[in-house]
Amino acid sequence: MSTFFAKANAVERKWYVIDAAGLPLGRLATEAARILRGKHKPTFTPNVDTGDHVIIINAEKVVLTGNKLDQKMYRRHSGYPGGLKETPYRKLMQNMPERAVEHAVKGMLPHNKLGAQMYTKLKVYRDENHPHQAQQPEIWTIQ
């Protein structure tokens, strides 16, 4: 018997909703990255995007443990000399909690074109409202 390799055009994709309320940011991000990558499926193939779509709701209610709200910094660079911008996570969680969740999940995906393709299947929303009811998403629970 030969090893199964998934074909990109034969992958069936589902939609999952993850409620982030009360979950630690890292645990939420690892589970979302696992679904986006397709590691929860028996047909997982490392060089093919076999993952599903993920909708994360209640991003503003995600939790950072310890002193991370004050000590952890969100960093971005403009590309110009001296263009490093730093924002504490407390301010980021007040203004743009979606970006904090997206940044955490993106860091757990492969850092190449395949990872960028997987990242496009992630949708993050501040509260419980999302416009993807037509896709009939299933609820994914995290213990």
Side-chain angles (χ1 to χ4, degrees):
M1 185 167 178
S2 62
T3 304
F4 174 79
F5 289 105
K7 304 285 187 281
N9 56 1
V11 176
E12 289 188 27
R13 303 200 193 283
K14 291 185 176 180
W15 287 72
Y16 292 105
V17 174
I18 300 176
D19 188 1
L23 290 175
L25 179 62
R27 296 196 187 245
L28 169 71
T30 52
E31 198 64 24
R34 193 171 144 261
I35 298 168
L36 288 169
R37 190 126 194 250
K39 292 195 110 179
H40 64 292
K41 294 181 175 182
T43 58
F44 171 70
T45 307
N47 63 329
V48 178
D49 183 9
T50 57
D52 294 320
H53 296 266
V54 176
I55 304 163
I56 298 177
I57 57 173
N58 291 322
E60 64 187 359
K61 296 177 184 169
V62 77
V63 178
L64 272 83
T65 58
N67 294 326
K68 290 185 201 133
L69 274 175
D70 298 315
Q71 293 177 354
K72 188 174 172 73
M73 294 288 183
Y74 172 71
R75 293 179 175 92
R76 63 192 191 282
H77 201 284
S78 67
Y80 288 97
L84 180 67
K85 310 278 188 199
E86 290 185 334
T87 309
Y89 261 75
R90 183 175 300 281
K91 186 174 180 185
L92 185 67
M93 292 303 290
Q94 289 172 353
N95 298 337
M96 297 174 284
E98 307 93 354
R99 186 167 295 172
V101 174
E102 289 168 355
H103 188 256
V105 173
K106 189 171 187 176
M108 295 182 185
L109 292 174
H111 302 290
N112 53 24
K113 291 179 186 177
L114 186 62
Q117 184 180 351
M118 293 172 185
Y119 180 69
T120 61
K121 297 191 309 278
L122 175 68
K123 313 292 182 205
V124 183
Y125 298 100
R126 178 181 292 257
D127 52 7
E128 64 273 349
N129 301 322
H130 65 86
H132 304 288
Q133 293 298 335
Q135 282 73 30
Q136 298 169 347
E138 300 174 22
I139 297 173
W140 188 277
T141 56
I142 300 174
Q143 285 75 292

